[in-house]
Amino acid sequence: MTVIARGELTGRINTAIGYLYFRTAGKGELPVLFAHSFAGSSRQWDSQFRSRKENQYVAFDFRDHGRSEKVTGNAFHPRSLAADILSVADHLDLKRFVLVGHSMGGSAAVAFTDAHPERVDGLVLCGTPGKTPQELSDPIIASLKSENYQQVMDQYMQKLLNGAREDVKELVMQEMRKMSKENFISVITTLFNYDPLPALKRYNGPLLIITTTREKEQANTLASQMPDAETQVIEGTSHWPQLDQAGAFNAILDDFLISLKKNDSM
């Protein structure tokens, strides 16, 4: 592993589908593992790493994202992406940890938790899609597969970035442009087709949903489909509240971690 700024360690993990890049910092009895959104990378958790307190923080780049190895084909189902989470956790010997997933990373986190509930001390889902009705997903997928791909993609990203700071827009778009059309469509299609609700009904551990003012009202988000779950709303932000409103996001996460530690001590 390589030591970089702020005492972080970075490295690569060899897996059956290619190598995965990861970063880790700190020590503690309650590790926190972060899973980023589609067309993103572990850089989307920079603000969380900077504000880290006594816990060990771990982030990584999913397959075909960031500094991880490029892949082709339909390898982006949340259950497949959950294998990336498992590879990172096993490599760093994380027996139990808090799993924080954003957007696509949230879907992968749900799939991982369903397969390995004994390893998850708590689950935080931010901007995570619920079950998308077919009448909403089919036209979008068809448009992405048409000659209007670029226009549709630009409109889709513009909607997600509504309310974003300029530096957040720059980071998100910079990373998004690295993804091929084929894989972009593959990710969107699998996320639209994945239903996380049955898995979440089977999960009995601590759960926190973080959403935004805009997304709370959207029918295809977990926040709207799980109204009884503990939910925190962050105002004035895009689809990436951990970047736009890092202070608010970090305060919510810190409170959740404190509550887990208190419950463990009782």
Side-chain angles (χ1 to χ4, degrees), residues 174-241:
Q174 180 187 61
E175 295 187 324
M176 185 275 296
R177 293 188 186 101
K178 298 177 183 178
M179 178 167 279
S180 69
K181 174 182 176 180
E182 176 190 9
N183 286 355
F184 188 96
I185 294 173
S186 178
V187 171
I188 295 298
T189 301
T190 54
L191 291 180
F192 278 159
N193 291 335
Y194 180 63
D195 183 0
L197 296 179
L200 286 171
K201 289 178 181 178
R202 290 188 288 268
Y203 174 62
N204 296 316
L207 169 66
L208 172 64
I209 294 176
I210 301 177
T211 189
T212 68
T213 308
R214 294 183 180 91
E215 293 181 349
K216 191 175 188 300
E217 306 303 323
Q218 296 174 7
N220 65 326
T221 64
L222 275 184
S224 62
Q225 294 180 6
M226 297 186 66
D228 295 331
E230 181 183 356
T231 302
Q232 293 284 346
V233 181
I234 300 179
E235 299 181 357
T237 174
S238 70
H239 183 59
W240 287 265

Side-chain angles (χ1 to χ4, degrees), residues 80 102 105 139 229:
S80 298
H102 174 241

Side-chain angles (χ1 to χ4, degrees), residues 51-262:
S51 72
R52 180 190 58 80
K53 296 180 180 177
E54 68 271 17
N55 300 299
Q56 178 186 6
Y57 275 14
V58 177
F60 70 100
D61 296 346
F62 279 111
R63 59 187 69 182
D64 199 54
H65 289 73
R67 284 163 279 191
S68 290
E69 191 163 350
K70 302 302 178 185
V71 301
T72 58
N74 188 17
F76 299 101
H77 190 281
R79 285 190 291 272
S80 298
L81 298 174
D84 293 352
I85 297 175
L86 180 62
S87 294
V88 174
D90 283 351
H91 181 79
L92 295 175
D93 197 29
L94 304 180
K95 303 299 184 185
R96 294 183 61 86
F97 51 93
V98 176
L99 187 50
V100 181
H102 174 241
S103 194
M104 177 191 78
S107 299
V110 172
F112 176 89
T113 301
D114 195 39
H116 307 281
E118 75 285 353
R119 300 188 67 170
V120 180
D121 274 328
L123 182 60
V124 180
L125 302 174
C126 175
T128 302
K131 173 59 177 174
T132 302
Q134 194 170 355
E135 59 269 22
L136 293 180
S137 62
D138 282 355
I140 297 175
I141 295 171
S143 297
L144 285 170
K145 292 180 178 179
S146 73
E147 60 184 15
N148 297 321
Y149 164 78
Q150 191 64 51
Q151 179 183 356
V152 175
M153 185 190 70
D154 289 344
Q155 291 173 347
Y156 183 76
M157 294 303 299
Q158 184 178 15
K159 180 179 179 181
L160 292 179
L161 285 165
N162 186 15
R165 300 196 323 249
E166 288 303 316
D167 60 316
V168 174
K169 290 181 183 179
E170 183 178 353
L171 172 63
V172 170
M173 294 305 297
Q174 180 187 61
E175 295 187 324
M176 185 275 296
R177 293 188 186 101
K178 298 177 183 178
M179 178 167 279
S180 69
K181 174 182 176 180
E182 176 190 9
N183 286 355
F184 188 96
I185 294 173
S186 178
V187 171
I188 295 298
T189 301
T190 54
L191 291 180
F192 278 159
N193 291 335
Y194 180 63
D195 183 0
L197 296 179
L200 286 171
K201 289 178 181 178
R202 290 188 288 268
Y203 174 62
N204 296 316
L207 169 66
L208 172 64
I209 294 176
I210 301 177
T211 189
T212 68
T213 308
R214 294 183 180 91
E215 293 181 349
K216 191 175 188 300
E217 306 303 323
Q218 296 174 7
N220 65 326
T221 64
L222 275 184
S224 62
Q225 294 180 6
M226 297 186 66
D228 295 331
E230 181 183 356
T231 302
Q232 293 284 346
V233 181
I234 300 179
E235 299 181 357
T237 174
S238 70
H239 183 59
W240 287 265
Q242 79 273 29
L243 292 169
D244 287 316
Q245 297 284 353
F249 184 96
N250 294 341
I252 291 171
L253 178 59
D254 286 345
D255 286 346
F256 183 73
L257 297 177
I258 290 171
S259 70
L260 294 180
K261 291 178 180 180
K262 285 182 178 178

